[in-house]
Amino acid sequence: MAYRVTFIRGDGIGPEIADVSKAVLDATGVAFDWDFQDAGVEMMEKEGTPLPTRTLESIRKNKIAMKAPITTPVGTGFRSCNVALRKEFDLYACVRPCKSYEGVRSRYRNIDLVIVRENTEDLYAGIEFQKGTKEADEVIQLCSKLSGKSIRPDSGISIKPISVSGTERIVKAAFEYARKYKRKKVTAVHKANIMKFSDGLFLEVAREVAKRYTDIQFEDRIVDNMCMQLVQVPELYDVLVLPNLYGDIISDLAAGLVGGLGVAPGANVGESGAIFEATHGSAPKYKGLNKVNPTALILSGMLMLRYLGEEQAADRLEKAVADVIREGKDVTYDLKENRKDPTAVGTREMGQAIIKKLKVKSEK
Ligand code: NAD
């Protein structure tokens, strides 16, 4: 029976990479019954909400979705749909494998890291107070009363909650991932030396959870040191587990190690479902140009195949993508030695090259 999967085509470059990714996933031979749904800036203009109820209902019912990027206006306007979706479905684990593929230009080779980022807490919990509002003033006064420390009256405030239960489940998810995919080590990343009651708690709980996984090594790193280590000695690291904000930042750093956002996939996973999406955003300046690299969303589809237990199809798809990238002919501009190389192909053409590889393999 076909897998019923919600597909959100997003905005900006979203629809282009979504259509290509769908075609590639269909070419793996796994049967999908796609349920296309809308979200993003165009929905905001048309229907007054970037995330219509019917889209949420579809994900609730199907429990699994592919999602292309959605724009979030900076500073003003609606809050991030991406954050809202993760919260709505309690998709607490964002798993981002960052692996070197031969042929992708990068300063590094043989990188094989997995970032497991907590998705629901921390400074991204959305508990914020705007400068100068009555609420902000009250929070400032309360904090001053309770902590004896003053906050400047012209401050905006974002709250950083980190819980025992939230930490326990994300660290467990990192260890379970390590076990399933035969990884050797989990590193917890934090700033516990400064934020003792939030990051300190994260570290304390991580140490407790680690005791239950004696087959996998455990260590911790302070986030600033982690950044330097990843740049200098990335080969020392394997699976990293991080609170939300550090996870967001280090995901992009790790994507940079393997050649950039164009090749960095991701999965947002919870107890009751999963949404698969690229690490990169909607890159609005490239919208409609058939120019950007579809690999990150295609590889997110590969993660979906693994989540569904379709390991063989996932392996074939990963190999087809890796072959096209290694050959370096039918690839987008960002994968060429010279970004202005006129032989670079478009988004659709790179997708077609991957489909061709998949078809040749299934005919053998
Ligand atoms: P971005 O990831 O969209 O783009 C940054 C740059 O990375 C681009 O200008 C381009 O040079 C490169 N790039 C990104 N994707 C590429 C691809 N597939 N192929 C080749 N090059 C690629 O980041 P941004 O410009 O900071 O964000 C744009 C919008 O996307 C913002 O509104 C942001 O909030 C949103 N966003 C959405 C998601 C999501 O939907 N999950 C994630 C991140 C950002």
Side-chain angles (χ1 to χ4, degrees):
M1 211 174 77
Y3 294 106
R4 178 103 173 132
V5 176
T6 303
F7 208 133
I8 300 174
R9 292 167 74 245
D11 58 38
I13 56 167
E16 301 159 51
I17 57 172
D19 293 347
V20 167
S21 301
K22 174 206 163 291
V24 169
L25 282 164
D26 285 335
T28 62
V30 174
F32 289 104
D33 174 13
W34 302 110
D35 180 5
F36 286 102
Q37 295 291 336
D38 299 311
V41 279
E42 278 130 44
M43 277 297 101
M44 184 71 196
E45 284 154 19
K46 266 198 232 154
E47 301 189 11
T49 170
L51 201 52
T53 310
R54 61 179 183 279
T55 301
L56 294 174
E57 284 310 316
S58 161
I59 302 173
R60 207 178 314 284
K61 198 162 141 230
N62 298 329
K63 297 188 169 45
I64 182 154
M66 285 287 291
K67 182 188 142 305
I70 297 175
T71 305
T72 309
V74 176
T76 55
F78 60 84
R79 283 191 180 276
S80 165
C81 291
N82 310 305
V83 175
L85 280 170
R86 291 166 203 161
K87 283 181 82 172
E88 177 74 23
F89 297 106
D90 201 19
L91 304 175
Y92 61 87
C94 178
V95 182
R96 289 174 171 168
C98 291
K99 188 168 159 184
S100 303
Y101 289 101
E102 197 188 327
V104 179
R105 284 176 308 110
S106 165
R107 290 170 187 271
Y108 299 85
R109 299 179 72 170
N110 302 322
I111 302 279
D112 190 6
L113 289 165
V114 181
I115 312 296
V116 181
R117 161 189 172 191
E118 204 289 325
N119 245 348
T120 63
E121 310 199 301
D122 196 356
L123 285 161
Y124 287 39
I127 310 166
E128 297 200 287
F129 301 95
Q130 193 176 5
K131 171 195 71 95
T133 59
K134 189 169 131 291
E135 290 78 12
D137 289 345
E138 276 180 35
V139 173
I140 289 171
Q141 279 165 30
L142 186 66
C143 287
S144 150
K145 188 169 144 219
L146 296 178
S147 72
K149 289 182 183 146
S150 64
I151 299 174
R152 291 190 187 104
D154 56 346
S155 300
I157 295 170
S158 303
I159 304 283
K160 174 178 166 119
I162 290 196
S163 68
V164 171
S165 48
T167 305
E168 221 167 53
R169 65 182 185 174
I170 192 66
V171 178
K172 203 166 149 246
F175 275 103
E176 289 295 331
Y177 183 98
R179 212 172 242 176
K180 183 170 176 195
Y181 292 102
K182 304 197 179 355
R183 317 285 302 211
K184 293 196 170 57
K185 186 168 75 173
V186 172
T187 305
V189 184
H190 58 85
K191 189 80 186 173
N193 50 333
I194 304 293
M195 284 164 279
K196 297 188 191 303
F197 301 139
S198 48
D199 286 26
L201 182 140
F202 183 86
L203 176 58
E204 192 186 313
V205 173
R207 284 183 173 144
E208 281 308 308
V209 173
K211 287 180 190 161
R212 292 180 230 151
Y213 293 88
T214 47
D215 50 325
I216 295 156
Q217 294 171 48
F218 175 73
E219 64 180 9
D220 71 276
R221 290 284 179 275
I222 293 176
V223 64
D224 36 353
N225 179 28
M226 187 76 248
C227 290
M228 189 185 70
Q229 297 258 318
L230 284 176
V231 171
Q232 290 192 322
V233 279
E235 67 279 5
L236 296 187
Y237 296 93
D238 191 346
V239 176
L240 308 185
V241 61
L242 313 90
N244 211 336
L245 176 64
Y246 311 144
D248 192 4
I249 297 167
I250 292 219
S251 292
D252 271 33
L253 192 160
L257 297 178
V258 296
L261 289 170
V263 290
N268 297 294
V269 187
E271 302 303 336
S272 57
I275 299 181
F276 297 85
E277 63 177 338
T279 298
H280 66 73
S282 57
K285 70 178 177 192
Y286 292 114
K287 178 182 173 179
L289 300 181
N290 186 41
K291 188 170 164 82
V292 296
N293 189 346
T295 302
L297 192 60
I298 292 173
L299 289 178
S300 304
M302 175 207 69
L303 298 180
M304 179 180 71
L305 289 169
R306 295 204 190 285
Y307 177 86
L308 293 170
E310 298 285 351
E311 291 289 342
Q312 279 184 8
D315 288 346
R316 281 193 298 113
L317 174 53
E318 187 172 19
K319 183 156 185 334
V321 171
D323 286 351
V324 168
I325 293 176
R326 193 187 56 252
E327 287 166 16
K329 194 164 74 64
D330 298 313
V331 295
T332 47
Y333 75 101
D334 57 310
L335 295 177
K336 292 283 186 185
E337 185 100 19
N338 170 2
R339 287 188 155 226
K340 296 210 164 96
D341 187 336
T343 68
V345 303
T347 311
R348 280 192 295 275
E349 291 70 27
M350 183 165 175
Q352 283 307 321
I354 295 168
I355 290 172
K356 214 163 137 196
K357 294 272 179 212
L358 279 166
K359 294 221 161 118
V360 169
K361 276 179 197 114
S362 58
E363 277 157 17
K364 272 185 186 168

